[in-house]
Protein backbone atom coordinates (compact mmCIF):
# COMPACT_ATOMS: atom_id res chain seq x y z
CA UNK A 1 0.00 0.00 0.00
CA UNK A 2 1.21 3.48 -0.79
CA UNK A 3 0.38 6.71 1.01
CA UNK A 4 2.00 9.34 -1.10
CA UNK A 5 1.56 13.09 -1.00
CA UNK A 6 -0.10 14.62 -4.03
CA UNK A 7 2.88 16.87 -4.85
CA UNK A 8 5.09 13.83 -5.45
CA UNK A 9 2.61 12.58 -8.05
CA UNK A 10 2.31 15.65 -10.23
CA UNK A 11 2.36 14.80 -13.92
CA UNK A 12 4.34 17.23 -16.08
CA UNK A 13 2.45 18.23 -19.23
CA UNK A 14 4.19 19.04 -22.51
CA UNK A 15 1.75 21.11 -24.61
CA UNK A 16 2.17 22.31 -28.17
CA UNK A 17 2.15 26.11 -27.81
CA UNK A 18 3.48 27.17 -31.23
CA UNK A 19 4.04 25.76 -34.69
CA UNK A 20 6.91 23.47 -33.69
CA UNK A 21 10.12 23.33 -35.70
CA UNK A 22 10.71 19.60 -36.11
CA UNK A 23 14.37 20.26 -36.90
CA UNK A 24 14.92 21.51 -33.34
CA UNK A 25 13.15 18.47 -31.85
CA UNK A 26 15.13 16.18 -34.14
CA UNK A 27 18.43 17.88 -33.27
CA UNK A 28 17.87 17.42 -29.54
CA UNK A 29 16.74 13.83 -29.96
CA UNK A 30 19.77 12.99 -32.10
CA UNK A 31 22.05 14.61 -29.53
CA UNK A 32 20.79 12.37 -26.72
CA UNK A 33 20.07 9.23 -28.77
CA UNK A 34 23.56 7.67 -28.44
CA UNK A 35 23.20 7.40 -24.65
CA UNK A 36 19.43 6.90 -24.48
CA UNK A 37 19.30 4.27 -27.28
CA UNK A 38 15.60 4.77 -28.16
CA UNK A 39 13.81 1.68 -29.47
CA UNK A 40 10.35 1.71 -31.01
CA UNK A 41 8.05 -1.29 -30.50
CA UNK A 42 5.16 -1.65 -32.92
CA UNK A 43 2.87 -4.63 -32.17
CA UNK A 44 0.79 -5.57 -35.20
CA UNK A 45 -1.42 -8.23 -36.70
CA UNK A 46 -0.65 -9.52 -40.18
CA UNK A 47 -4.04 -8.15 -41.29
CA UNK A 48 -2.75 -4.62 -40.66
CA UNK A 49 -0.65 -4.84 -43.81
CA UNK A 50 -2.26 -7.73 -45.73
CA UNK A 51 -5.88 -6.49 -45.67
CA UNK A 52 -6.50 -4.09 -48.53
CA UNK A 53 -8.39 -1.56 -46.38
CA UNK A 54 -5.50 -1.36 -43.88
CA UNK A 55 -2.59 -1.16 -46.33
CA UNK A 56 -2.64 2.65 -46.86
CA UNK A 57 -2.56 3.24 -43.09
CA UNK A 58 0.43 0.97 -42.52
CA UNK A 59 2.30 2.23 -45.59
CA UNK A 60 1.92 5.81 -44.34
CA UNK A 61 3.41 4.74 -40.99
CA UNK A 62 6.40 3.16 -42.76
CA UNK A 63 6.86 6.23 -44.94
CA UNK A 64 7.01 8.39 -41.82
CA UNK A 65 9.31 6.02 -39.90
CA UNK A 66 11.77 5.93 -42.82
CA UNK A 67 12.48 9.63 -42.21
CA UNK A 68 13.47 9.09 -38.56
CA UNK A 69 17.21 8.56 -38.14
CA UNK A 70 17.74 8.64 -34.37
CA UNK A 71 16.02 5.33 -33.50
CA UNK A 72 18.36 2.57 -32.34
CA UNK A 73 15.99 -0.21 -33.45
CA UNK A 74 12.38 -0.72 -34.56
CA UNK A 75 10.79 -3.97 -33.39
CA UNK A 76 7.77 -5.17 -35.36
CA UNK A 77 5.99 -7.73 -33.16
CA UNK A 78 4.05 -9.78 -35.73
CA UNK A 79 1.07 -11.79 -34.49
CA UNK A 80 -1.37 -14.03 -36.38
CA UNK A 81 0.97 -14.23 -39.35
CA UNK A 82 2.35 -16.99 -41.56
CA UNK A 83 5.89 -17.14 -42.85
CA UNK A 84 4.59 -15.66 -46.11
CA UNK A 85 3.15 -12.75 -44.12
CA UNK A 86 6.49 -12.23 -42.37
CA UNK A 87 8.26 -12.20 -45.76
CA UNK A 88 5.68 -9.72 -47.04
CA UNK A 89 6.47 -7.48 -44.07
CA UNK A 90 10.18 -7.77 -44.84
CA UNK A 91 9.50 -6.71 -48.44
CA UNK A 92 7.50 -3.71 -47.26
CA UNK A 93 10.28 -2.63 -44.89
CA UNK A 94 12.80 -2.97 -47.71
CA UNK A 95 10.59 -1.00 -50.12
CA UNK A 96 10.23 1.86 -47.65
CA UNK A 97 13.94 1.70 -46.75
CA UNK A 98 13.40 1.03 -43.05
CA UNK A 99 16.77 0.48 -41.35
CA UNK A 100 17.72 -1.27 -38.10
CA UNK A 101 14.57 -3.30 -37.68
CA UNK A 102 13.66 -6.61 -36.05
CA UNK A 103 10.79 -8.77 -37.31
CA UNK A 104 9.52 -10.67 -34.29
CA UNK A 105 7.52 -13.42 -36.00
CA UNK A 106 5.72 -14.85 -33.01
CA UNK A 107 4.37 -17.89 -34.89
CA UNK A 108 7.82 -18.89 -36.13
CA UNK A 109 9.96 -21.61 -34.53
CA UNK A 110 12.71 -19.26 -33.29
CA UNK A 111 10.53 -17.10 -31.05
CA UNK A 112 8.25 -20.00 -30.13
CA UNK A 113 11.38 -21.52 -28.60
CA UNK A 114 11.83 -18.39 -26.45
CA UNK A 115 8.22 -18.57 -25.32
CA UNK A 116 8.78 -22.23 -24.43
CA UNK A 117 11.79 -21.30 -22.26
CA UNK A 118 9.62 -18.75 -20.45
CA UNK A 119 6.82 -21.29 -19.99
CA UNK A 120 9.16 -23.94 -18.58
CA UNK A 121 10.47 -21.40 -16.08
CA UNK A 122 6.93 -20.81 -14.83
CA UNK A 123 6.22 -17.59 -16.74
CA UNK A 124 3.22 -18.96 -18.59
CA UNK A 125 2.38 -17.41 -21.95
CA UNK A 126 -0.14 -19.85 -23.38
CA UNK A 127 -2.74 -17.50 -24.85
CA UNK A 128 -1.88 -15.39 -27.90
CA UNK A 129 -2.58 -11.67 -27.81
CA UNK A 130 -1.11 -8.20 -27.69
CA UNK A 131 0.13 -8.61 -24.10
CA UNK A 132 2.17 -11.71 -24.92
CA UNK A 133 3.45 -10.09 -28.11
CA UNK A 134 4.56 -6.89 -26.36
CA UNK A 135 6.18 -8.74 -23.47
CA UNK A 136 8.60 -10.53 -25.79
CA UNK A 137 9.21 -7.29 -27.73
CA UNK A 138 10.30 -5.68 -24.45
CA UNK A 139 12.66 -8.58 -23.82
CA UNK A 140 14.17 -8.11 -27.28
CA UNK A 141 14.61 -4.39 -26.64
CA UNK A 142 16.36 -5.04 -23.32
CA UNK A 143 18.56 -7.74 -24.87
CA UNK A 144 19.65 -5.29 -27.57
CA UNK A 145 20.60 -2.65 -25.01
CA UNK A 146 17.69 -0.19 -25.23
CA UNK A 147 17.67 2.59 -22.63
CA UNK A 148 14.41 4.16 -23.83
CA UNK A 149 11.42 2.29 -25.28
CA UNK A 150 8.38 3.70 -27.06
CA UNK A 151 5.27 1.71 -27.97
CA UNK A 152 3.03 2.81 -30.84
CA UNK A 153 0.20 0.87 -32.49
CA UNK A 154 0.13 0.06 -36.20
CA UNK A 155 -3.42 1.28 -36.84
CA UNK A 156 -2.90 5.06 -36.51
CA UNK A 157 -4.57 6.61 -39.52
CA UNK A 158 -3.08 10.07 -38.98
CA UNK A 159 0.48 9.13 -37.98
CA UNK A 160 3.24 11.72 -38.53
CA UNK A 161 6.91 11.34 -37.60
CA UNK A 162 6.78 14.46 -35.40
CA UNK A 163 4.29 12.64 -33.17
CA UNK A 164 6.94 10.07 -32.26
CA UNK A 165 9.44 12.91 -31.72
CA UNK A 166 7.05 14.48 -29.22
CA UNK A 167 6.35 11.20 -27.43
CA UNK A 168 10.03 10.43 -26.91
CA UNK A 169 11.20 13.97 -26.12
CA UNK A 170 10.32 14.01 -22.38
CA UNK A 171 12.17 10.71 -21.77
CA UNK A 172 15.12 11.04 -24.16
CA UNK A 173 15.87 14.75 -23.73
CA UNK A 174 14.33 15.76 -20.38
CA UNK A 175 15.03 12.60 -18.35
CA UNK A 176 11.44 11.77 -17.40
CA UNK A 177 10.97 8.05 -16.89
CA UNK A 178 7.49 7.89 -18.43
CA UNK A 179 5.66 9.74 -21.20
CA UNK A 180 2.08 9.23 -22.36
CA UNK A 181 0.40 10.75 -25.39
CA UNK A 182 -2.81 12.77 -25.32
CA UNK A 183 -4.87 14.08 -28.19
CA UNK A 184 -8.39 14.83 -29.38
CA UNK A 185 -10.35 11.89 -30.80
CA UNK A 186 -12.47 13.23 -33.67
CA UNK A 187 -13.40 11.37 -36.84
CA UNK A 188 -15.87 12.25 -39.60
CA UNK A 189 -17.06 15.26 -37.65
CA UNK A 190 -17.86 13.29 -34.47
CA UNK A 191 -16.26 12.99 -31.04
CA UNK A 192 -14.84 9.58 -30.19
CA UNK A 193 -12.92 8.38 -27.14
CA UNK A 194 -16.25 7.32 -25.64
CA UNK A 195 -14.87 5.03 -22.92
CA UNK A 196 -12.66 7.87 -21.65
CA UNK A 197 -15.32 10.59 -21.92
CA UNK A 198 -18.41 8.68 -20.77
CA UNK A 199 -17.04 6.03 -18.42
CA UNK A 200 -13.57 6.65 -17.04
CA UNK A 201 -13.64 10.41 -16.41
CA UNK A 202 -17.10 10.43 -14.77
CA UNK A 203 -16.16 7.33 -12.72
CA UNK A 204 -12.92 8.90 -11.47
CA UNK A 205 -14.74 12.14 -10.61
CA UNK A 206 -17.44 10.15 -8.81
CA UNK A 207 -14.76 8.29 -6.83
CA UNK A 208 -13.07 11.58 -5.99
CA UNK A 209 -16.36 12.96 -4.62
CA UNK A 210 -16.99 9.79 -2.62
CA UNK A 211 -13.50 9.62 -1.11
CA UNK A 212 -13.50 13.35 -0.32
CA UNK A 213 -16.62 12.75 1.79
CA UNK A 214 -14.69 10.21 3.89
CA UNK A 215 -11.41 12.18 3.67
CA UNK A 216 -9.66 9.03 2.49
CA UNK A 217 -6.32 10.45 1.36
CA UNK A 218 -4.86 7.07 0.42
CA UNK A 219 -7.59 6.46 -2.16
CA UNK A 220 -7.54 10.07 -3.33
CA UNK A 221 -3.82 9.81 -4.16
CA UNK A 222 -4.36 7.32 -7.00
CA UNK A 223 -7.56 9.01 -8.22
CA UNK A 224 -5.84 12.41 -8.28
CA UNK A 225 -2.95 10.91 -10.27
CA UNK A 226 -5.22 9.31 -12.89
CA UNK A 227 -7.33 12.47 -13.29
CA UNK A 228 -4.23 14.47 -14.25
CA UNK A 229 -3.91 12.56 -17.53
CA UNK A 230 -5.83 14.12 -20.39
CA UNK A 231 -6.24 10.79 -22.19
CA UNK A 232 -5.65 7.89 -19.82
CA UNK A 233 -6.48 5.26 -22.44
CA UNK A 234 -4.02 6.28 -25.15
CA UNK A 235 -1.79 3.43 -26.26
CA UNK A 236 1.19 5.58 -27.25
CA UNK A 237 3.73 5.55 -24.41
CA UNK A 238 7.46 5.83 -23.77
CA UNK A 239 9.49 4.59 -20.80
CA UNK A 240 13.01 4.54 -19.48
CA UNK A 241 14.32 0.98 -19.57
CA UNK A 242 15.03 1.12 -15.84
CA UNK A 243 11.36 1.75 -15.05
CA UNK A 244 10.09 -0.68 -17.66
CA UNK A 245 12.09 -3.62 -16.30
CA UNK A 246 10.26 -3.21 -12.96
CA UNK A 247 6.77 -2.96 -14.44
CA UNK A 248 4.05 -5.55 -14.96
CA UNK A 249 1.50 -5.28 -17.76
CA UNK A 250 -2.12 -6.38 -17.84
CA UNK A 251 -3.12 -8.56 -20.76
CA UNK A 252 -6.82 -7.67 -20.74
CA UNK A 253 -8.54 -4.51 -21.98
CA UNK A 254 -7.72 -2.73 -18.75
CA UNK A 255 -4.06 -2.61 -19.85
CA UNK A 256 -3.73 1.18 -20.12
CA UNK A 257 -5.23 1.81 -16.67
CA UNK A 258 -3.12 -0.99 -15.17
CA UNK A 259 -0.01 0.62 -16.71
CA UNK A 260 -0.83 4.01 -15.19
CA UNK A 261 -1.36 2.37 -11.80
CA UNK A 262 2.07 0.73 -12.12
CA UNK A 263 3.54 4.12 -13.09
CA UNK A 264 1.89 5.68 -10.01
CA UNK A 265 3.62 3.13 -7.80
CA UNK A 266 7.00 2.92 -9.51
CA UNK A 267 7.82 6.01 -11.60
CA UNK A 268 9.59 9.07 -10.20
CA UNK A 269 8.92 11.64 -12.95
CA UNK A 270 5.89 10.90 -15.16
CA UNK A 271 4.90 13.17 -18.04
CA UNK A 272 2.22 13.47 -20.68
CA UNK A 273 2.71 15.03 -24.07
CA UNK A 274 0.41 16.46 -26.69
CA UNK A 275 0.91 13.96 -29.50
CA UNK A 276 -0.92 15.86 -32.19
CA UNK A 277 -2.35 19.37 -32.49
CA UNK A 278 -4.90 18.03 -34.96
CA UNK A 279 -7.66 15.48 -34.25
CA UNK A 280 -6.24 12.00 -33.99
CA UNK A 281 -7.77 8.92 -35.54
CA UNK A 282 -7.37 5.16 -35.36
CA UNK A 283 -9.72 2.17 -35.41
CA UNK A 284 -12.95 2.47 -33.42
CA UNK A 285 -14.55 -0.31 -31.38
CA UNK A 286 -18.23 -1.27 -31.61
CA UNK A 287 -20.31 -0.71 -28.48
CA UNK A 288 -21.54 -4.35 -28.34
CA UNK A 289 -24.36 -3.41 -25.98
CA UNK A 290 -25.73 -6.96 -25.74
CA UNK A 291 -22.38 -8.77 -25.49
CA UNK A 292 -20.21 -8.33 -22.38
CA UNK A 293 -17.31 -10.13 -24.05
CA UNK A 294 -16.80 -7.78 -27.01
CA UNK A 295 -16.24 -4.16 -27.99
CA UNK A 296 -16.58 -1.19 -25.67
CA UNK A 297 -18.74 -3.26 -23.32
CA UNK A 298 -15.89 -5.71 -22.60
CA UNK A 299 -13.36 -2.89 -22.46
CA UNK A 300 -15.46 -1.00 -19.91
CA UNK A 301 -15.87 -4.02 -17.61
CA UNK A 302 -12.11 -4.72 -17.70
CA UNK A 303 -11.27 -1.06 -16.98
CA UNK A 304 -13.64 -0.80 -14.00
CA UNK A 305 -12.52 -4.16 -12.58
CA UNK A 306 -8.82 -3.28 -13.00
CA UNK A 307 -9.27 0.08 -11.28
CA UNK A 308 -11.31 -1.37 -8.41
CA UNK A 309 -8.82 -4.21 -7.94
CA UNK A 310 -6.01 -1.68 -7.53
CA UNK A 311 -7.94 0.20 -4.85
CA UNK A 312 -8.99 -2.97 -3.03
CA UNK A 313 -5.81 -5.05 -3.25
CA UNK A 314 -3.13 -2.38 -3.05
CA UNK A 315 -4.77 0.59 -1.31
CA UNK A 316 -6.97 -1.37 1.11
CA UNK A 317 -10.42 -0.17 0.01
CA UNK A 318 -13.29 -1.99 1.73
CA UNK A 319 -16.26 -2.53 -0.57
CA UNK A 320 -19.88 -3.59 -0.28
CA UNK A 321 -23.10 -3.60 -2.29
CA UNK A 322 -23.88 -0.17 -0.86
CA UNK A 323 -20.52 1.19 -2.02
CA UNK A 324 -21.20 0.28 -5.66
CA UNK A 325 -24.82 1.45 -5.53
CA UNK A 326 -23.75 4.84 -4.16
CA UNK A 327 -20.89 5.05 -6.65
CA UNK A 328 -23.24 4.31 -9.56
CA UNK A 329 -25.68 7.04 -8.46
CA UNK A 330 -22.86 9.61 -8.29
CA UNK A 331 -21.43 8.36 -11.61
CA UNK A 332 -24.81 8.84 -13.34
CA UNK A 333 -25.07 12.43 -12.09
CA UNK A 334 -21.51 13.27 -13.16
CA UNK A 335 -21.89 11.59 -16.57
CA UNK A 336 -25.10 13.53 -17.31
CA UNK A 337 -23.31 16.80 -16.56
CA UNK A 338 -20.39 15.75 -18.76
CA UNK A 339 -22.75 14.92 -21.63
CA UNK A 340 -24.25 18.43 -21.42
CA UNK A 341 -20.72 19.85 -21.63
CA UNK A 342 -19.84 17.67 -24.64
CA UNK A 343 -23.05 18.70 -26.36
CA UNK A 344 -22.19 22.37 -25.87
CA UNK A 345 -18.58 21.90 -26.99
CA UNK A 346 -19.71 19.97 -30.08
CA UNK A 347 -22.06 22.80 -31.00
CA UNK A 348 -19.30 25.35 -30.47
CA UNK A 349 -17.07 23.38 -32.90
CA UNK A 350 -19.84 22.53 -35.37
CA UNK A 351 -19.48 18.79 -34.70
CA UNK A 352 -22.20 16.17 -35.03
CA UNK A 353 -23.34 15.14 -31.55
CA UNK A 354 -26.04 12.56 -30.81
CA UNK A 355 -26.88 13.27 -27.20
CA UNK A 356 -29.53 10.53 -27.01
CA UNK A 357 -27.01 7.90 -28.12
CA UNK A 358 -24.38 9.07 -25.62
CA UNK A 359 -26.93 9.05 -22.80
CA UNK A 360 -27.97 5.55 -23.88
CA UNK A 361 -24.34 4.35 -23.71
CA UNK A 362 -24.04 5.71 -20.17
CA UNK A 363 -27.33 4.30 -18.84
CA UNK A 364 -27.54 1.02 -20.77
CA UNK A 365 -23.88 0.00 -21.06
CA UNK A 366 -21.38 1.80 -18.81
CA UNK A 367 -23.64 2.06 -15.75
CA UNK A 368 -24.27 -1.69 -16.00
CA UNK A 369 -20.53 -2.31 -16.34
CA UNK A 370 -19.94 -0.64 -12.97
CA UNK A 371 -22.72 -2.67 -11.38
CA UNK A 372 -21.42 -5.86 -13.04
CA UNK A 373 -17.90 -5.23 -11.73
CA UNK A 374 -19.34 -4.56 -8.28
CA UNK A 375 -21.35 -7.77 -8.39
CA UNK A 376 -18.28 -9.75 -9.44
CA UNK A 377 -16.16 -8.28 -6.65
CA UNK A 378 -18.70 -8.52 -3.81
CA UNK A 379 -20.93 -11.55 -4.46
CA UNK A 380 -18.53 -14.18 -3.13
CA UNK A 381 -18.06 -12.34 0.16
CA UNK A 382 -21.83 -11.88 0.60
CA UNK A 383 -22.51 -15.57 -0.07
CA UNK A 384 -19.90 -16.56 2.52
CA UNK A 385 -21.35 -14.21 5.16
CA UNK A 386 -24.87 -15.55 4.65
CA UNK A 387 -23.75 -19.18 4.64
CA UNK A 388 -21.77 -18.72 7.86
CA UNK A 389 -24.80 -17.04 9.47
CA UNK A 390 -27.00 -20.01 8.52
CA UNK A 391 -24.68 -22.75 9.77
CA UNK A 392 -24.15 -20.94 13.09
CA UNK A 393 -27.91 -20.34 13.54
CA UNK A 394 -29.25 -23.88 13.16
CA UNK A 395 -28.18 -26.62 15.59
CA UNK A 396 -28.32 -29.25 12.85
CA UNK A 397 -24.96 -27.93 11.62
CA UNK A 398 -23.17 -28.22 15.00
CA UNK A 399 -21.56 -31.63 14.30
CA UNK A 400 -20.20 -30.30 11.02
CA UNK A 401 -18.96 -27.11 12.68
CA UNK A 402 -17.02 -29.27 15.13
CA UNK A 403 -15.41 -30.97 12.13
CA UNK A 404 -14.27 -27.62 10.67
CA UNK A 405 -17.09 -26.68 8.27
CA UNK A 406 -16.78 -22.93 8.95
CA UNK A 407 -13.02 -22.96 8.44
CA UNK A 408 -13.44 -24.86 5.16
CA UNK A 409 -15.98 -22.32 3.89
CA UNK A 410 -13.66 -19.41 4.73
CA UNK A 411 -10.70 -21.20 3.11
CA UNK A 412 -12.64 -21.79 -0.12
CA UNK A 413 -13.88 -18.20 -0.08
CA UNK A 414 -10.30 -16.91 0.26
CA UNK A 415 -9.16 -19.05 -2.65
CA UNK A 416 -12.05 -17.90 -4.85
CA UNK A 417 -11.42 -14.27 -3.85
CA UNK A 418 -7.83 -14.54 -5.02
CA UNK A 419 -9.07 -15.80 -8.39
CA UNK A 420 -11.63 -12.98 -8.67
CA UNK A 421 -9.08 -10.29 -7.83
CA UNK A 422 -6.41 -11.71 -10.11
CA UNK A 423 -5.92 -9.43 -13.13
CA UNK A 424 -4.33 -11.31 -16.07
CA UNK A 425 -0.85 -9.80 -16.17
CA UNK A 426 2.77 -10.40 -17.03
CA UNK A 427 5.62 -10.62 -14.58
CA UNK A 428 8.39 -8.03 -14.68
CA UNK A 429 11.42 -8.55 -16.89
CA UNK A 430 13.52 -7.95 -13.79
CA UNK A 431 12.02 -11.12 -12.31
CA UNK A 432 12.51 -13.07 -15.55
CA UNK A 433 16.19 -12.11 -15.69
CA UNK A 434 16.71 -13.07 -12.04
CA UNK A 435 15.34 -16.56 -12.74
CA UNK A 436 16.81 -16.94 -16.24
CA UNK A 437 20.14 -15.04 -16.23
CA UNK A 438 20.95 -16.19 -19.76
CA UNK A 439 17.62 -15.15 -21.28
CA UNK A 440 18.98 -11.98 -22.92
CA UNK A 441 21.75 -14.02 -24.56
CA UNK A 442 19.13 -16.47 -25.82
CA UNK A 443 17.05 -13.65 -27.22
CA UNK A 444 20.05 -12.06 -28.95
CA UNK A 445 20.78 -15.42 -30.60
CA UNK A 446 17.14 -15.59 -31.75
CA UNK A 447 17.35 -12.10 -33.23
CA UNK A 448 20.57 -13.00 -35.02
CA UNK A 449 19.04 -16.20 -36.40
CA UNK A 450 16.01 -14.35 -37.77
CA UNK A 451 18.16 -11.65 -39.37
CA UNK A 452 19.38 -14.22 -41.89
CA UNK A 453 15.80 -14.76 -43.02
CA UNK A 454 14.18 -11.32 -42.59
CA UNK A 455 17.11 -8.88 -42.66
CA UNK A 456 17.67 -6.08 -40.17
Amino acid sequence: MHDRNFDINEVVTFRILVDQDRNILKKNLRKHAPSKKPVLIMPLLASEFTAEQNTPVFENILEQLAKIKYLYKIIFGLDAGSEADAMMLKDLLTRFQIKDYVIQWNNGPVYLDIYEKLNKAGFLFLEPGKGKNMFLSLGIAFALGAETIAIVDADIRTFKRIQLDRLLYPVVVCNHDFSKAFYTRISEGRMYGRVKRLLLDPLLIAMKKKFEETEDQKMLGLIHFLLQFHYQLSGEVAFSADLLKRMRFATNWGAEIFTLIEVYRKASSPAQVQFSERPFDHKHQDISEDNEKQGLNRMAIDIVTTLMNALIQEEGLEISDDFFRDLTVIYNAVAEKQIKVYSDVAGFNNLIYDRDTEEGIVHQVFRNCILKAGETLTTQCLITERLLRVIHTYPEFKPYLNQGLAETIVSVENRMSREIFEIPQTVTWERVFNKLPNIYKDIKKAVKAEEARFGS
Side-chain angles (χ1 to χ4, degrees):
M1 290 184 241
H2 298 261
D3 189 4
R4 305 187 187 184
N5 296 320
F6 286 167
D7 57 348
I8 298 175
N9 288 302
E10 292 303 319
V11 178
V12 175
T13 301
F14 288 75
R15 292 186 181 277
I16 301 170
L17 302 177
V18 296
D19 186 12
Q20 288 179 306
D21 184 345
R22 184 182 181 267
N23 289 325
I24 300 299
L25 288 176
K26 180 174 65 175
K27 180 181 176 182
N28 284 324
L29 287 163
R30 282 185 171 179
K31 177 182 175 183
H32 291 85
S35 61
K36 291 300 182 73
K37 291 186 178 179
V39 168
L40 172 63
I41 290 174
M42 184 165 286
L44 72 162
L45 298 170
S47 59
E48 285 170 305
F49 58 86
T50 59
E52 186 177 350
Q53 69 271 23
N54 296 333
T55 301
V57 173
F58 188 64
E59 289 188 348
N60 171 65
I61 291 173
L62 294 183
E63 184 178 345
Q64 295 295 317
L65 291 179
K67 300 172 185 176
I68 299 175
K69 306 301 181 186
Y70 59 78
L71 289 174
Y72 182 60
K73 286 284 183 183
I74 305 176
I75 300 170
F76 295 91
L78 176 59
D79 255 346
S82 64
E83 184 172 4
D85 294 328
M87 294 303 295
M88 182 178 178
L89 177 58
K90 173 196 171 184
D91 292 342
L92 279 168
L93 299 181
T94 302
R95 175 152 67 89
F96 282 91
Q97 299 182 329
I98 303 295
K99 307 293 184 185
D100 299 317
Y101 65 83
V102 173
I103 293 178
Q104 173 196 326
W105 178 34
N106 288 310
N107 289 5
V110 172
Y111 288 115
L112 284 176
D113 184 56
I114 298 294
Y115 283 124
E116 184 60 23
K117 282 185 171 71
L118 293 171
N119 288 336
K120 285 181 177 178
F123 308 117
L124 298 179
F125 291 93
L126 304 177
E127 296 296 325
K130 186 177 177 181
K132 175 180 175 180
N133 183 2
M134 278 179 42
F135 187 78
L136 182 54
S137 296
L138 294 175
I140 293 171
F142 296 142
L144 296 177
E147 293 296 334
T148 306
I149 297 172
I151 301 171
V152 172
D153 287 332
D155 64 349
I156 302 174
R157 295 171 179 168
T158 52
F159 183 75
K160 303 291 182 187
R161 56 180 170 162
I162 195 171
Q163 294 165 350
L164 184 60
D165 298 342
R166 292 167 181 151
L167 181 65
L168 282 164
Y169 193 93
V171 180
V172 172
V173 178
C174 303
N175 292 318
H176 289 273
D177 52 4
F178 175 72
S179 171
K180 188 174 186 68
F182 70 89
Y183 36 74
T184 304
R185 291 286 309 281
I186 296 174
S187 178
E188 298 176 346
R190 297 177 184 273
M191 288 184 187
Y192 281 88
R194 292 162 292 180
V195 176
K196 180 259 191 306
R197 290 189 299 105
L198 303 178
L199 172 70
L200 186 56
D201 281 352
L203 179 60
L204 290 172
I205 294 168
M207 286 182 169
K208 182 172 181 284
K209 290 176 180 289
K210 190 161 179 59
F211 294 140
E212 282 175 343
E213 289 175 3
T214 58
E215 299 183 351
D216 196 331
Q217 295 301 313
K218 190 163 54 175
M219 304 303 162
L220 283 168
L222 176 56
I223 301 304
H224 170 79
F225 179 76
L226 295 175
L227 278 170
Q228 290 181 76
F229 287 92
H230 298 311
Y231 195 37
Q232 302 94 335
L233 303 181
S234 68
E236 298 76 29
V237 285
F239 307 81
S240 70
D242 179 65
L243 171 63
L244 204 48
K245 287 175 183 177
R246 295 180 284 115
M247 287 184 60
R248 301 166 298 160
F249 290 88
T251 56
N252 64 2
W253 283 16
E256 283 79 14
I257 282 296
F258 187 92
T259 297
L260 286 183
I261 293 167
E262 282 282 279
V263 168
Y264 170 72
R265 294 172 183 151
K266 297 174 180 177
S268 59
S269 54
Q272 61 181 333
V273 60
Q274 189 172 354
F275 196 63
S276 173
E277 70 272 45
R278 296 182 179 277
F280 188 78
D281 191 22
H282 55 65
K283 285 190 295 193
H284 309 296
Q285 295 285 345
D286 294 330
I287 297 170
S288 300
E289 181 178 333
D290 299 322
N291 190 338
E292 295 177 354
K293 297 184 177 181
Q294 290 184 356
L296 298 187
N297 200 340
R298 167 68 184 277
M299 186 185 299
I301 292 172
D302 281 358
I303 287 169
V304 176
T305 305
T306 299
L307 178 58
M308 295 310 305
N309 269 327
L311 292 171
I312 295 164
Q313 295 289 84
E314 302 292 338
E315 308 301 328
L317 175 66
E318 295 184 5
I319 58 170
S320 64
D321 277 352
D322 291 340
F323 174 87
F324 280 99
R325 278 196 294 268
D326 291 348
L327 183 63
T328 304
V329 169
I330 302 171
Y331 161 79
N332 275 338
V334 173
E336 286 172 5
K337 287 183 180 179
Q338 296 287 90
I339 286 172
K340 169 66 165 62
V341 171
Y342 292 131
S343 178
D344 293 343
V345 170
F348 180 71
N349 288 279
N350 195 31
L351 296 173
I352 301 165
Y353 190 78
D354 189 336
R355 186 165 177 173
D356 290 339
T357 296
E358 299 244 311
E359 287 176 343
I361 293 172
V362 165
H363 296 304
Q364 297 166 27
V365 181
F366 292 160
R367 172 184 171 276
N368 292 336
C369 289
I370 298 171
L371 292 173
K372 175 71 175 177
E375 180 184 335
T376 300
L377 296 172
T378 60
T379 297
Q380 189 58 47
C381 182
L382 289 171
I383 291 173
T384 301
E385 287 178 4
R386 289 168 185 167
L387 187 54
L388 289 172
R389 193 180 303 125
V390 168
I391 65 175
H392 281 92
T393 300
Y394 294 94
E396 291 90 334
F397 287 104
K398 187 174 180 180
Y400 304 103
L401 287 171
N402 293 336
Q403 295 176 32
L405 176 60
E407 291 80 3
T408 302
I409 290 171
V410 171
S411 174
V412 171
E413 193 268 336
N414 288 336
R415 188 181 75 240
M416 294 181 71
S417 293
R418 284 195 297 273
E419 293 170 357
I420 289 170
F421 288 110
E422 196 169 288
I423 297 293
Q425 61 188 260
T426 68
V427 296
T428 67
W429 267 100
E430 188 175 65
R431 184 179 165 197
V432 172
F433 182 72
N434 285 339
K435 192 165 185 179
L436 297 173
N438 292 320
I439 189 66
Y440 291 155
K441 290 180 182 177
D442 293 337
I443 290 174
K444 286 175 78 172
K445 287 178 184 176
V447 171
K448 195 73 176 172
E450 292 293 74
E451 280 180 2
R453 179 163 30 180
F454 301 124
S456 64

